[in-house]
Amino acid sequence: MNGTKATLEKLSSQYKDSVPSDLRDAKRFDWYLDELYDDPRIARNAHQRVADMFDYYGTDYDEDAGVVEYRMASEDPLHDGENTFYGREVHESIHEFVNKVKSGARRLGPEKRIKLLLGPVGSGKSHFDWMTRRYFEAYTASDAGRMYTFRWTNLMDVIPDQDPADDTVQSPMNQDPLVLLPQEQRDVVLERLNEALDAPYTIQNGQSLDPASEFYIDKLLAHYNDDLETVLQNHVEIIRLVASENKRQCVETFEPKDKKNQDETELTGDVNYSKLAVYGESDPRAFDYSGAFCNANRGLFSGEELLKLQREFLYDFLHASQEQTIKPKNNPRIDIDEVIVGRTNMPEYREKKGDEKMEAFNDRTKRVDFPYVLEYDEEAEIYRKMLRNADVPDMHIEPHALEMAGLFGVLTRLAEPDTNASVVQKAKAYNEELDDGDDIDIRKLRENAEESTDIGEGMDGVSARFIGDEIAEAIMDATHRDRTYLSPLSVFSHFETNLENHGSIPEENLDQYHRYLEMVREEYRERAIEDVRHALAYDLDEIQRQGEKYMDHVMAYIDDATVEDSLTGREQDPDETFLRSVEEKLDIPEDRKDDFRQEVSNWVSRRAREGTSFDPHDNDRLRRALERKLWEDKKHNINFSALVSANELDDDERNAWIEALVDRGYSQAGAQEVLEFAGAEVAKTELEA
């Protein structure tokens, strides 16, 4: 409403604009045929419609990972980014899921399989499934995703025993109107549609009418002497079909219950006892098409905690997936058309995987691993999303707080490397934080992890849900203490206190997790010290000057040329001592210096071609090297005693340091905390040197 008053008139207009214009219209069958000839995609099956839905909301291709990122997951345009997904592994899983749906759309086999999302608790698989259902609902309400079904009308005019309440009956299975045509005539239409179709699949439809509709069309054809046109013109109306989970229309969820309360009729439907007295027990009109598979027809079936179902119920999924039919008790088989998605956690999967009696079911599933995020910067984005979506008190999140929380979570999920790299180095490698000079092969790390884990890396460990809960606790604790900032130290404290109290963390893992927490503390200590050093000695202009000097000498070194001395104006050879004083701050050995110099030279040349001026702050490695050199040059003029003397908090020098930390994203109080925490370490190190 753009800040204007939301009157009822405006709200009503906004709602009306969101509703498909033909939602309430009833059309004739010949109108529907004309629509199909104009837009054959209207007759898509469920797999084809769901596959197109993912592309409809936009895609981005990650060339490095070879993964298509679907914007409905990476940006969540329907909900203003509220439900975005993060992490390379998660987008790889979504990419794999969509590929299976697209393969099913082309009838390559997965259309006859259950798409089983497998992952640890809190990995996001349930939320992705929920998102898919929401987007499918929205897609079917759009013009691009429209679909239609039909209803029978004026039945009492022809069928004497028809209940007056059933004079008009909507297709119980919400079937495509094409199924009203006998197969031979239907194939003629389909051939024409496929000639005009611009899609990577062809449209097929070999379904039979549901038993009730079969009953009606038989009666009507008999009455009209097999005049199909008259039957369809006089007794069939075409209506728009929009998916709605709340209405149990083309979207359905099913969850396990205890053995006493679970009934297979929840899946396949049951007798409509209110109609038994009207039609009789064997009459197809007396069947209630309210089973979950019936409701999901033309769309999505979602099985929650699927492998917790009793084996007898899982057998129903065999026919539903492989044969694409269901068999209600004492009723004919019913054709279904739906994407069947199941979700399960690791313990149930491991149990069923080793069960020989589940071999047929397992053979009809397509497993999609849905692991935890393994990049801690991406993990931190999950917590930021949580805070954005919540009513958070006026709380300043200090630098490194969420990233270090993410690092702890990632460490618990990684397979320990069997190379010279530490688990923290591996986490940094996955986070793309390692320098080019670091001798760590990320591809080999991933391959070794796949070999050393029973299912895959990231399929166990601490969930983002646990970490998010602890961040929330730390925020509320800070609020109670009248603190307006959340620091990494307070988050670490809550982790340490509550690890033992979390029911999903095995006791045998606690010692290892505490060890990981100490690693994270040490990593934070190094980052905090770097921030304090930056505050004590940082000089933007000096870094720019030193950066320009470094590049002048690098270019002269590469071109085997001389450089002009800024003081004397004389030409001189590149200053090797100066160059090495910068490079050694990144631990670049003598035998790798040429590689680094060529790297920064290429970077500068590339920017020059793009018309971008040189700025050392835009190159992370060069910036860090120059900052560390500046520290070495200026630390001798710093009063380190002021860092550890509490009674000097108000002096000008200390306040200047705090302001420098504020410029780096700290709050005033958070800057004081990090200055006391890391400043003492800096002072201790430098005073001992």
Side-chain angles (χ1 to χ4, degrees):
M1 294 296 176
N2 297 322
T4 60
K5 188 175 181 180
T7 64
L8 177 58
E9 180 183 5
K10 290 179 179 178
L11 293 170
S12 177
S13 176
Q14 185 185 50
Y15 163 73
K16 190 170 184 179
D17 290 342
S18 71
V19 175
S21 59
D22 61 347
L23 183 63
R24 315 296 177 188
D25 297 344
K27 303 290 188 178
R28 296 163 67 93
F29 190 86
D30 52 1
W31 171 90
Y32 183 63
L33 279 181
D34 288 339
E35 287 295 297
L36 290 184
Y37 293 140
D38 288 341
D39 184 3
R41 287 175 183 258
I42 294 173
R44 288 168 291 183
N45 64 30
H47 276 79
Q48 292 164 349
R49 187 168 273 105
V50 172
D52 287 347
M53 172 198 74
F54 278 94
D55 289 334
Y56 173 76
Y57 290 101
T59 60
D60 295 295
Y61 183 62
D62 183 340
E63 291 189 23
D64 293 335
V67 170
V68 175
E69 287 192 2
Y70 292 92
R71 290 180 190 165
M72 58 174 276
S74 64
E75 298 179 11
D76 186 22
L78 285 184
H79 310 106
D80 295 325
E82 184 177 336
N83 303 289
T84 48
F85 287 81
Y86 300 97
R88 163 185 165 153
E89 292 75 20
V90 172
H91 285 291
E92 284 179 345
S93 299
I94 294 171
H95 174 75
E96 182 181 354
F97 173 84
V98 178
N99 276 354
K100 286 177 170 47
V101 174
K102 289 185 173 182
S103 295
R106 300 185 184 198
R107 303 193 314 282
L108 291 172
E111 76 279 9
K112 298 181 179 181
R113 306 289 181 266
I114 300 165
K115 270 62 80 175
L116 185 66
L117 301 179
L118 170 68
V121 294
S123 64
K125 57 188 181 298
S126 297
H127 196 61
F128 170 68
D129 190 12
W130 175 88
M131 281 269 287
T132 303
R133 301 197 301 273
R134 297 294 78 78
Y135 273 82
F136 184 71
E137 291 172 335
Y139 183 60
T140 61
S142 72
D143 188 62
R146 62 186 174 134
M147 57 181 175
Y148 295 86
T149 188
F150 62 91
R151 61 187 175 211
W152 300 101
T153 62
N154 305 318
L155 294 174
M156 292 178 61
D157 294 350
V158 175
I159 306 174
D161 67 342
Q162 188 73 6
D163 187 341
D166 296 336
D167 189 43
T168 298
V169 177
Q170 182 165 327
S171 167
M173 296 289 291
N174 290 316
Q175 288 184 292
D176 190 304
L178 270 179
V179 299
L180 291 165
L181 295 176
Q183 192 64 57
E184 185 176 349
Q185 286 69 43
R186 194 187 314 171
D187 288 342
V188 172
V189 175
L190 290 171
E191 183 178 0
R192 169 77 179 274
L193 297 184
N194 285 315
E195 288 174 355
L197 179 66
D198 180 16
Y201 48 74
T202 57
I203 294 174
Q204 308 288 326
N205 191 324
Q207 285 198 333
S208 299
L209 280 164
D210 65 80
S213 294
E214 190 72 48
F215 173 88
Y216 292 135
I217 201 165
D218 283 348
K219 292 290 186 181
L220 293 168
L221 286 172
H223 177 79
Y224 290 105
N225 196 27
D226 289 318
D227 186 344
L228 180 63
E229 181 180 8
T230 300
V231 169
L232 297 182
Q233 296 291 70
N234 292 353
H235 295 280
V236 169
E237 291 179 343
I238 308 302
I239 54 176
R240 181 74 180 263
L241 179 62
V242 175
S244 171
E245 185 171 350
N246 286 340
K247 295 178 181 179
R248 305 184 73 187
Q249 185 168 279
C250 306
V251 179
E252 181 65 289
T253 57
F254 184 78
E255 59 186 35
K257 300 181 179 67
D258 63 77
K259 293 183 179 180
K260 294 181 180 179
N261 294 325
Q262 195 84 63
D263 190 328
E264 67 176 350
T265 59
E266 293 181 52
L267 284 170
T268 59
D270 196 6
V271 172
N272 186 341
Y273 292 97
S274 67
K275 297 295 183 182
L276 280 179
V278 179
Y279 297 126
E281 186 172 352
S282 60
D283 196 303
R285 293 172 292 178
F287 185 74
D288 184 5
Y289 295 82
S290 60
F293 283 132
C294 302
N295 296 329
N297 195 45
R298 307 283 304 280
L300 289 160
F301 176 99
S302 172
E304 301 180 12
E305 303 291 350
L306 192 64
L307 296 188
K308 286 184 178 178
L309 285 169
Q310 301 170 57
R311 187 178 293 117
E312 305 87 76
F313 289 98
L314 291 176
Y315 290 152
D316 287 317
F317 285 85
L318 300 184
H319 287 295
S321 58
Q322 182 67 34
E323 306 301 330
Q324 298 176 315
T325 63
I326 55 175
K327 178 63 174 69
K329 188 186 302 181
N330 300 323
N331 275 276
R333 292 190 182 277
I334 301 173
D335 288 334
I336 60 173
D337 168 30
E338 53 204 65
V339 178
I340 301 177
V341 181
R343 308 193 304 272
T344 190
N345 293 327
M346 302 299 292
E348 292 80 12
Y349 177 77
R350 289 189 173 102
E351 177 186 351
K352 292 292 193 294
K353 184 180 180 183
D355 187 349
E356 292 183 0
K357 296 180 181 179
M358 292 296 298
E359 184 178 0
F361 177 83
N362 292 334
D363 191 51
R364 287 168 173 81
T365 60
K366 282 290 196 179
R367 192 184 92 194
V368 179
D369 292 346
F370 219 92
Y372 290 132
V373 174
L374 296 180
E375 303 86 24
Y376 53 83
D377 277 350
E378 293 289 294
E379 180 82 1
E381 290 300 322
I382 297 175
Y383 313 141
R384 286 194 180 89
K385 177 180 71 174
M386 174 193 77
L387 297 176
R388 285 196 304 269
N389 295 342
D391 296 325
V392 181
D394 187 14
M395 185 70 52
H396 188 278
I397 309 301
E398 299 299 313
H400 313 301
L402 302 185
E403 286 76 14
M404 293 299 97
L407 176 59
F408 172 68
V410 167
L411 291 180
T412 68
R413 304 164 190 169
L414 292 175
E416 289 275 359
D418 58 1
T419 63
N420 294 329
S422 69
V423 67
V424 173
Q425 286 177 309
K426 180 176 182 177
K428 287 184 176 182
Y430 281 14
N431 204 54
E432 298 184 348
E433 269 193 27
L434 290 181
D435 295 335
D436 292 344
D438 292 316
D439 189 19
I440 294 179
D441 187 336
I442 298 178
R443 182 181 58 82
K444 186 174 177 59
L445 286 174
R446 294 188 186 277
E447 289 175 354
N448 290 344
E450 290 300 315
E451 294 172 1
S452 62
T453 53
D454 62 338
I455 293 179
E457 194 168 32
M459 299 296 274
D460 55 16
V462 168
S463 71
R465 187 179 297 154
F466 164 77
I467 296 176
D469 288 346
E470 297 311 310
I471 291 172
E473 289 291 330
I475 288 174
M476 296 314 299
D477 182 61
T479 302
H480 295 322
R481 297 171 184 270
D482 293 325
R483 294 175 59 172
T484 58
Y485 68 98
L486 177 72
S487 71
L489 296 177
S490 62
V491 175
F492 297 158
S493 176
H494 277 77
F495 284 170
E496 189 161 28
T497 301
N498 294 321
L499 275 174
E500 285 84 353
N501 301 327
H502 198 273
S504 68
I505 298 177
E507 187 174 349
E508 61 268 21
N509 291 352
L510 289 175
D511 287 344
Q512 186 180 39
Y513 287 2
H514 280 293
R515 180 168 62 88
Y516 288 151
L517 186 54
E518 288 307 309
M519 293 179 182
V520 175
R521 286 183 190 275
E522 180 60 27
E523 179 64 25
Y524 169 62
R525 175 183 170 276
E526 294 299 320
R527 296 184 184 216
I529 288 173
E530 190 81 8
D531 286 348
V532 169
R533 284 176 171 164
H534 180 282
L536 299 182
Y538 197 65
D539 184 329
L540 191 65
D541 293 335
E542 182 62 22
I543 286 181
Q544 181 72 28
R545 285 192 294 270
Q546 293 287 324
E548 290 173 353
K549 177 181 177 182
Y550 178 80
M551 288 312 306
D552 287 342
H553 285 256
V554 162
M555 293 301 191
Y557 174 83
I558 292 175
D559 296 337
D560 195 20
T562 59
V563 63
E564 182 180 308
D565 187 284
S566 59
L567 296 177
T568 66
R570 295 178 179 177
E571 294 294 321
Q572 63 177 25
D573 291 334
D575 188 343
E576 184 66 21
T577 302
F578 169 71
L579 291 174
R580 292 300 294 149
S581 70
V582 174
E583 294 153 2
E584 286 170 354
K585 299 303 178 290
L586 294 176
D587 297 325
I588 295 173
E590 179 76 22
D591 60 354
R592 298 293 297 275
K593 67 181 183 182
D594 287 356
D595 294 337
F596 179 72
R597 293 173 187 179
Q598 189 64 57
E599 174 193 326
V600 292
S601 172
N602 292 341
W603 175 75
V604 170
S605 298
R606 186 166 58 251
R607 288 172 65 87
R609 289 194 299 271
E610 296 169 354
T612 305
S613 60
F614 171 73
D615 186 345
H617 294 86
D618 293 339
N619 186 301
D620 187 57
R621 297 183 73 197
L622 182 57
R623 174 190 57 77
R624 281 186 284 132
L626 293 170
E627 285 179 356
R628 292 170 185 176
K629 183 180 186 306
L630 183 60
W631 166 257
E632 291 294 329
D633 294 342
K634 297 185 69 172
K635 67 181 182 180
H636 304 295
N637 299 320
I638 294 172
N639 178 13
F640 288 107
S641 63
L643 285 170
V644 294
S645 179
N647 60 10
E648 295 187 41
L649 279 173
D650 295 328
D651 68 18
D652 292 340
E653 187 175 27
R654 192 176 182 85
N655 287 338
W657 297 338
I658 288 174
E659 288 305 315
L661 286 165
V662 169
D663 289 341
R664 288 182 69 81
Y666 287 87
S667 65
Q668 286 279 342
Q672 291 183 27
E673 178 182 284
V674 77
L675 197 59
E676 292 171 13
F677 167 71
E681 294 292 327
V682 172
K684 179 181 177 182
T685 301
E686 299 304 336
L687 290 171
E688 290 176 352

